[in-house]
Structure formats: structure tokens, C-alpha cells
Amino acid sequence: MFKSFSSMFAGDIAIDLGTANTIIWVKGEGVILNEPSIVAKNVNDGNIIAVGNEAREMLGRTHPGIEIIRPLKDGTIADYKMTDAMIQGFMRRIKRSRISRPRIVICIPYGVTDVEQRSVKESAEHANASEIYLISEPMAAAIGIGIDVSKPVGNMIVDIGGGTTEIAVISLNGIGAIETIKIAGDEQTEAIIEWFKNQHKLGIGERTAEDIKCSVGSAVRIDDGTINVKGRDLVTGIPKTLEISSDEIRQALTETVFHITTAIKKALDKTPPE
């Protein structure tokens, strides 16, 4: 009983506001939410129907009265109102007490504008935060894996998100060199969709492509397993199932992987020799 009472008032919160997924961590509890950054909205009255996993379940299965929105695109906030609605939806999901006024840390892409920072802070204020801190995603990733970022030692972080890949060299509590490209998870999902369209004349949805990427996608050759892929035959228009090798998915991802490795080399080129 005491534990439940104390949790009403305590528990600093960290939010990783990602293009693909939003993760919420609470002090003393760990990660309590990891769901897609997706909102389902009623087109007629503008009301929010669902957020996160519930909204993702509707992807590709809606009627004209429901719109599926990704509020964050290419590492930036594309729709401020929907981002705010999504954060509020997630905060209600984790059931914090209205009396509780937690400190909130939010991860944001490096180099976001002042307007975008202000928008994120306002969303956190609506969540009843007592204090709000913003931290760049590469720095948060470095701290999260246990790197002592205060030392005069260069550490490279390659943060592949949904909309952007950020490559940062971190030293002395700061980012010494950074390279950002808008090639990341979303483009890899799209590459898989295009591969099946061009190579197999098979139409697959975003959810199917995402599942394929997560289950057998790789940058280098691995055990050559197979996966059954269901889609719509673009020639006949009827459903069709194909057995595809994991090596073929690697080929589909080759171009996006090349862009990321090229960006890593550019980040190294910007890094001071010492």
C-alpha cells in the first residue's frame, strides 16, 4: 500500500520521442511503455481514437472516416497538435496520478529548432511535469550504454532511428562532430516494399514490410533462412504467398546500408585527428 501511495508522487520520467517508436521509462520501474509513434484520428470531429499499438493495428485497414497519422517525420515534429495528443495518450496509459508532478527528460534529435523544442516542452507541461529537460538523442544513447561522456576520449554513436540516422562523436560532455541523414528505418521499410513490387510483382503493406525487416533484415550475410511473405499479386490482383530467403532481404536493404556507412565515413572525416 505504501509503495503504491509513494509511486503517486515519485518517479522521474524519461521519454524517447522517436519517429518510429516512443519509449517511456520511469525511475524505479524501468521501461513501462514502448509503442509505435502513431495516432488514429476521427476525420469528422477530430477526436483521437487510438495511439500506439492500437493505432498501428488499424494501419492499412481504415475507412475514409479514420486517418492514421505519424506526428514525427524524418526526426522532426511534422504535426505539433498530434504529437501533443500522442504524448497525452501515452501519459494516460501509464496511469500517473494527477497529484504527481514528475521531472521529465525528453530525447530530441540533434539540431532541432527552437520552435520544435518549445513545442516538445509544452507537451510535457500538459503532462503535469514539474521540470523539463531536453537531451539530444546521440548523447542519451551514449549515456544509456554506460559511456563516461565526461572523459576527453572520443566515442562514436550511430543512432539509427525511424526517420533519421545520427552519427555523433562525443567527448567532454559535448558532441565534437555529427553527421545526420534522413535515411533510417522508415526508408528501409519502404525499400523492402519496393523490392517486392519490382522483383516479385507482389504488393505488401507497411506493417508486413516492417515485420520482415525486424525478423530477417540484416546488413551482412547471415544464416540463409527463409520467410513466407503474403501479399497481393500485382498482375492478377489476388492474394499470393512467396517463400523468400533472408539473403534477398539483405539485398533489398543494400542501398540504405550504403548511405549509412557513407555517413559514418563523413562523420569520421569531420572528427579532429586527436
Side-chain angles (χ1 to χ4, degrees):
M1 180 178 174
F2 174 74
K3 185 177 179 183
S4 125
F5 180 75
S6 62
S7 70
M8 287 169 58
F9 302 97
D12 294 341
I13 296 175
I15 302 174
D16 181 5
L17 206 57
T19 304
N21 292 286
T22 294
I23 301 171
I24 298 180
W25 174 95
V26 175
K27 188 175 182 179
E29 299 179 47
V31 173
I32 62 172
L33 185 140
N34 184 357
E35 297 193 14
S37 301
I38 302 176
V39 178
K41 183 182 80 169
N42 187 316
V43 174
N44 298 319
D45 57 19
N47 289 334
I48 303 304
I49 300 170
V51 297
N53 286 330
E54 291 179 11
R56 184 176 185 266
E57 288 298 317
M58 301 178 186
L59 203 60
R61 301 169 179 172
T62 60
H63 54 76
I66 297 175
E67 184 182 4
I68 303 297
I69 300 166
R70 291 182 178 272
L72 294 105
K73 187 173 177 61
D74 297 334
T76 59
I77 297 172
D79 189 324
Y80 296 102
K81 189 176 179 181
M82 288 299 106
T83 300
D84 184 50
M86 183 180 73
I87 291 174
Q88 302 317 311
F90 286 144
M91 293 302 286
R92 283 193 295 274
R93 188 85 56 82
I94 65 174
K95 294 177 181 175
R96 297 291 102 180
S97 166
R98 290 184 181 180
I99 309 170
S100 171
R101 297 206 65 209
R103 294 181 299 178
I104 297 182
V105 176
I106 303 178
C107 297
I108 56 172
Y110 181 85
V112 298
T113 65
D114 291 341
V115 173
E116 288 170 336
Q117 289 187 35
R118 194 158 54 247
S119 174
V120 171
K121 282 188 173 182
E122 284 173 2
S123 295
E125 285 168 0
H126 294 160
N128 209 29
S130 60
E131 297 175 61
I132 303 158
Y133 302 93
L134 302 182
I135 181 172
S136 66
E137 288 172 353
M139 183 65 75
I143 295 169
I145 59 173
I147 292 175
D148 186 348
V149 295
S150 66
K151 288 185 176 180
V153 176
N155 293 284
M156 175 176 274
I157 296 292
V158 182
D159 183 0
I160 304 173
T164 59
T165 296
E166 294 181 299
I167 303 106
V169 177
I170 294 171
S171 174
L172 294 170
N173 293 319
I175 294 176
I178 189 162
E179 184 72 21
T180 301
I181 59 168
K182 293 183 178 180
I183 301 287
D186 289 348
E187 282 68 25
Q188 292 182 327
T189 300
E190 189 60 36
I192 292 172
I193 292 173
E194 287 300 312
W195 177 272
F196 278 95
K197 183 178 175 182
N198 297 329
Q199 300 295 322
H200 298 287
K201 297 295 183 285
L202 187 74
I204 62 172
E206 186 181 326
R207 281 190 62 194
T208 300
E210 178 80 11
D211 291 341
I212 293 168
K213 180 184 71 178
C214 293
S215 58
V216 298
S218 67
V220 295
R221 190 183 297 274
I222 54 174
D223 294 337
D224 196 15
T226 59
I227 183 172
N228 287 327
V229 178
K230 296 177 181 178
R232 178 170 57 86
D233 190 311
L234 297 177
V235 177
T236 64
I238 62 174
K240 183 179 178 182
T241 300
L242 292 177
E243 187 177 64
I244 302 295
S245 70
S246 58
D247 189 56
E248 192 169 337
I249 304 305
R250 179 184 61 81
Q251 292 176 52
L253 297 174
T254 298
E255 187 176 350
T256 58
V257 171
F258 171 77
H259 284 302
I260 292 169
T261 52
T262 300
I264 291 171
K265 291 173 185 175
K266 286 182 179 178
L268 285 169
D269 191 41
K270 292 178 180 179
T271 305
E274 290 298 329

